[in-house]
Amino acid sequence: MPLRRHSGPPRPAILRSLAALGAAALLLAGCAAGPAATTATPASGGTLTYATGFGEPTCLDPHVGGNMPQALVGTNFVESLFSQDADGTIVPWLATSGTPSADGLSWDIALRDDVTFTDGTPFDAAAVKANVEHMQDPATASSTAILALGKVTEVQVVDPTTARFVLSEPDSALLESLAQTWLAMESPTALQRTQEENCESPVGTGPFVVSSWTKQDNITLVRNDDYNSPPAGSAHEGPAYLDEIVWRFIPDSATRFAALQSGQVDVIDEMQPDNVVAAESSDQLDVLTGALPGASIRLELNAGYAPFDDEKVRKAFIASADVNPGIESLFFGTVDRSYSVLSSGTPFGASYPDDFAIDPDRANQLLDEAGWTGRDADGYRTKDGQRLTVDFPISTNQSIPAEQSLFEQIQATTKEVGFDVELHPLDLSSWYAALGAWDFGVTSAIYTKNSPDVLRILYHSSNIIPAPSGYHPNNAHVSIPELDADLTEAGQTTDADQREALYADAQKILSDGAYVLPLYDHLQKIGYGPRVQGLSLLPTLQIPTFYDAWVQQ
Amino acid sequence: MRLVGAVFVLWAAATLTFFGLRLIPGDPAQAILGGPGSQASAEALAQVRAEYGLDQPIGVQYVAQLGRLATGDLGTSYSLKSPVADIIGSQIGGTLLLAALALLVAWVIALGLAVWSTRGGRVAAAVGSTLEIVAAAVPHFWLATVLVLIFSTALRWFPAVSTAGPEGLVLPVLTLALPLAGFLGQVMRESVLNALEAPFTLSARARGESETGVRWRHVLRHGALPGVALSGWAFGWLISGAVVVETVFARPGLGRTLLNAVQLRDVPLVVGVVLVVALGYVLMTLATDAATRLVDPRARFS
């Protein structure tokens, strides 16, 4: 799959910048005596303050562990081999193209020859090899990158600008995996330092450099003046405009929004639905939203254990869980109902709305047929003296308050047909423990991955039980040979039509079996103040990029 | 004797914290590697468990931890990967400043309220006591949000999140001080009222001292006693309040460190912070004992 730079239609980032330019020009024309500070063209200089609610990384090297806080800040100082455009198409970044062998068992990745890490180390095929080895080294304790490189057995240095990825089986998602920030390229010289040092100040090729990290307070990033490697689709070339980015950690969403409103910070993430509405109706603030790729926000019904090991009970739950009124009222119109397991930001998503119709009569009939015919004093259904109880562990780190209220509404509507849904709000560690022990009937877990291959991770039977860790992405306990076959084949073929057909079939199997109740897209919600121009989201993981951003002085 | 008591308090704090953290569900290894959007593999977890000794029996882990603590080594944080002593050293200043200022402001408000409301007749007494009860009942997180809405979003007088300058301290200090002033004010007003009716007040008045002199020299000294005694307790209370206030106002400090550490099951860091707070509590109790002797001559002879 050879790739050209600047292929395809104009990128949204460019469009947005043009729109911003136009707006600024209009503003200037409209008030000739206006403040001289308003500039129509991007101005270099200034400091931008970003406040994140995702939490503080424990290590700035995104190879180590690998979560959203690391990807958000890491995008400023490390870069990936590839990027993706708004349609999910792979576009060049540090690599210029990727070409698979005929049998799909190796990929030749052609690299740019003019890029240097900020410590002076040249970026070349040996650096790519060193990075892959670092990610796959157990001592690195990678979780995300090592999983994404599961089929990569080794990287060979063919010549300085060609790295050959040798695979154990074909991997149609390889380039998408390599586009993630968690698999970004770091200086091999810097990687040889202790992990503690590398966590404090990883060295990449990005438009900014980590200058200092004051734990629990801020990370300060300064401009890389020698920068020359923006991803395809960027609005300009050369170094970034901003002198400095101050990256602050503000866990409380109300404080974060107050800080944005009062101008104390310029950009915030993790906006609550009411704040999005307030910002959109304000003439001072703006909001950028994007659907995070991967799985939608959804309920997964644990089909491995009672009561949801019975398909009729699963179908009764889905036929009685009335989601739409809650989404309309609790989210103030900021999200749309989804009927797809895949996020709208992921290719090959298929929707089957009819499978999720609300029908209490049918739910009651299904529960009768399944033998849950008794009723106890509280109105819950029983079978052999056992109440129809569904435990629902909720991660308070991942579920926002509006979402937790939505779960309460689902609890209320399913109660009408006799389900006893018990909500258990838990911190992240306890929630992981409950999932690991299969101690739940239904749960909601976020999984962000920029490829439909996320379906294989979430619903292939091999991902039910790697016992020692208790880690099992297949929370629905789905084990269907035809589904496994579809997902394996789709993960290997690079034929787009064949992938689409296989993924459609896989999603139909999931929908027919009532394993998953899709709710809505997981949205990145970024709010920004009046000083900020040229801000956009990198489509790969919907992460804000500050390369094209500037502030009005 | 006091030293033995202090050592016992510290040992009990460390032990309860250690087992408390390990009894609640949650795997520290999962938390070290985890976080929204990431899923750890079996190999990575095994590696982390071996590295941090989490694969040992819990008794062995406890003895090892206690042995390190006995030699003054607080260990290394799981999550921040730096020595616990360094982390606490870098965070304790902000929290102590916050707690000390809050205690001072609470004292000023409580004293002022006690003096004013016991002097101004029935209406003042009712207003004073209502204010105290309301203030004491208000939860920190609510008060913090309301103060931000009024003074940051609407009036723009003070920043919503902490800054290097003193203006960033105003709202956090008020959030901690107002409920505490409510508590202190309640007990102080009670004892001020008692003191006003005590024979020594009558004799002071009979000697011809002015009303202000009576109040400040005799009554307040008496009225402040329960407040002084409560200040030891208030220290512990302020530290727990700091967990909320530092989180809401995004201030670096021990409280926020503790919250993050508990969520990540970072045993060495939690135990370290708890030990430091327990030590502070012990010292504060000794200090209030001394202060009581200073204010109340009777205590010097008992």
Side-chain angles (χ1 to χ4, degrees), chain A residues 123-399:
Chain A
F123 167 74
D124 56 16
V128 175
K129 180 180 168 69
N131 270 276
V132 169
E133 284 170 357
H134 182 246
M135 292 177 230
Q136 292 187 325
D137 182 354
T140 302
S142 165
S143 57
T144 309
I146 203 169
L147 210 64
L149 292 173
K151 295 177 180 174
V152 176
T153 49
E154 66 162 331
V155 174
Q156 294 168 351
V157 179
V158 178
D159 60 53
T161 57
T162 312
R164 178 171 295 156
F165 281 65
V166 181
L167 309 181
S168 56
E169 58 180 279
D171 184 359
S172 63
L174 179 68
L175 302 191
E176 290 155 357
S177 293
L178 292 173
Q180 301 181 103
T181 312
W182 302 297
L183 288 86
M185 294 294 122
E186 296 176 40
S187 159
T189 314
L191 287 178
Q192 282 169 1
R193 299 174 298 173
T194 64
Q195 186 170 81
E196 197 181 336
E197 279 179 275
N198 204 55
C199 280
E200 290 276 332
S201 58
V203 177
T205 58
F208 297 92
V209 180
V210 180
S211 160
S212 68
W213 180 13
T214 310
K215 299 268 167 72
Q216 296 193 65
D217 192 7
N218 77 82
I219 300 168
T220 303
L221 309 165
V222 296
R223 179 173 53 215
N224 168 12
D225 286 325
D226 301 321
Y227 182 71
N228 67 344
S229 50
S234 298
H236 82 291
E237 289 185 352
Y241 299 121
L242 297 168
D243 284 340
E244 192 180 64
I245 301 174
V246 177
W247 198 269
R248 300 199 55 167
F249 311 104
I250 304 186
D252 185 76
S253 62
T255 311
R256 213 157 52 237
F257 189 58
L260 178 69
Q261 283 177 307
S262 62
Q264 215 186 337
V265 303
D266 298 304
V267 184
I268 62 169
D269 56 29
E270 281 283 271
M271 290 181 88
Q272 300 299 313
D274 54 330
N275 294 342
V276 170
V277 173
E280 278 171 345
S281 64
S282 142
D283 51 7
Q284 293 288 308
L285 307 177
D286 279 298
V287 183
L288 269 182
T289 56
L292 283 159
S296 56
I297 303 262
R298 70 221 177 278
L299 298 189
E300 298 192 284
L301 279 52
N302 176 358
Y305 296 85
F308 285 145
D309 53 348
D310 186 334
E311 184 177 315
K312 286 188 167 136
V313 182
R314 295 199 298 271
K315 289 195 160 157
F317 182 84
I318 284 174
S320 62
D322 198 357
V323 174
N324 290 344
I327 286 189
E328 281 157 26
S329 59
L330 295 166
F331 290 84
F332 303 101
T334 57
V335 295
D336 294 322
R337 173 70 195 271
S338 166
Y339 294 100
S340 172
V341 176
L342 288 178
S343 136
S344 65
T346 310
F348 305 127
S351 282
Y352 304 99
D354 295 345
D355 289 341
F356 304 100
I358 299 304
D359 187 346
D361 293 340
R362 184 167 142 70
N364 276 314
Q365 186 194 336
L366 284 163
L367 288 174
D368 286 341
E369 287 171 21
W372 291 94
T373 47
R375 290 269 187 175
D376 65 15
D378 297 321
Y380 298 113
R381 283 183 180 261
T382 58
K383 179 161 122 179
D384 307 329
Q386 288 279 89
R387 183 185 274 191
L388 182 50
T389 298
V390 176
D391 285 304
F392 188 169
I394 297 166
S395 164
T396 50
N397 289 57
Q398 299 184 6
S399 287

Side-chain angles (χ1 to χ4, degrees), chain B:
Chain B
M1 201 53 222
R2 278 184 195 278
L3 188 69
V4 174
V7 170
F8 176 77
V9 166
L10 295 181
W11 169 79
T15 303
L16 285 175
T17 309
F18 180 86
F19 285 104
L21 259 189
R22 300 308 302 271
L23 283 178
I24 52 177
D27 179 350
Q30 186 75 263
I32 289 167
L33 290 168
S38 93
Q39 305 263 22
S41 69
E43 294 79 12
L45 284 165
Q47 174 76 26
V48 162
R49 285 202 189 97
E51 191 184 333
Y52 291 95
L54 295 167
D55 48 357
Q56 305 283 320
I58 188 156
V60 175
Q61 291 183 43
Y62 170 69
V63 170
Q65 171 99 13
L66 214 57
R68 276 197 303 272
L69 290 177
T71 62
D73 177 10
L74 293 175
T76 302
S77 157
Y78 293 169
S79 59
L80 299 174
K81 308 193 167 67
S82 30
V84 170
D86 292 357
I87 298 169
I88 292 176
S90 69
Q91 303 293 335
I92 196 167
T95 304
L96 285 184
L97 180 67
L98 187 65
L101 284 177
L103 194 59
L104 185 72
V105 171
W107 260 92
V108 170
I109 297 174
L111 276 178
L113 211 57
V115 171
W116 172 75
S117 71
T118 52
R119 173 170 219 169
R122 281 232 303 275
V123 175
V127 170
S129 112
T130 309
L131 276 179
E132 284 156 12
I133 291 172
V134 169
V138 163
H140 286 134
F141 69 88
W142 184 84
L143 184 58
T145 309
V146 169
L147 289 177
V148 164
L149 278 178
I150 297 174
F151 293 105
S152 298
T153 309
L155 297 175
R156 304 214 171 178
W157 289 357
F158 302 110
V161 295
S162 85
T163 53
E167 72 277 4
L169 269 166
V170 175
L171 297 184
V173 166
L174 276 183
T175 305
L176 279 178
L178 289 178
L180 186 60
F183 280 117
L184 291 177
Q186 272 175 307
V187 292
M188 282 190 208
R189 201 156 49 84
E190 188 72 29
S191 62
V192 165
L193 283 175
N194 287 339
L196 276 174
E197 284 159 19
F200 63 78
T201 310
L202 190 66
S203 66
R205 285 210 174 100
R207 286 199 303 273
E209 278 202 50
S210 68
E211 183 62 21
T212 312
V214 167
R215 278 173 187 269
W216 286 102
R217 222 160 298 148
H218 298 279
V219 173
L220 214 54
R221 191 169 187 143
H222 215 260
L225 270 180
V228 171
L230 265 182
S231 292
W233 160 84
F235 176 78
W237 189 82
L238 284 170
I239 296 293
S240 73
V243 174
V244 175
V245 168
E246 288 172 358
T247 303
V248 172
F249 292 103
R251 279 186 65 79
L254 275 194
R256 202 165 152 204
T257 305
L258 184 63
L259 180 70
N260 289 338
V262 169
Q263 284 181 344
L264 289 171
R265 304 291 186 268
D266 189 338
V267 179
L269 188 51
V270 177
V271 171
V273 173
V274 167
L275 272 180
V276 166
V277 173
L279 185 66
Y281 189 79
V282 167
L283 293 178
M284 197 66 195
T285 310
L286 294 178
T288 52
D289 282 357
T292 305
R293 278 194 216 103
L294 207 65
V295 181
D296 184 357
R298 289 170 302 179
R300 285 174 221 162
F301 305 106
S302 61

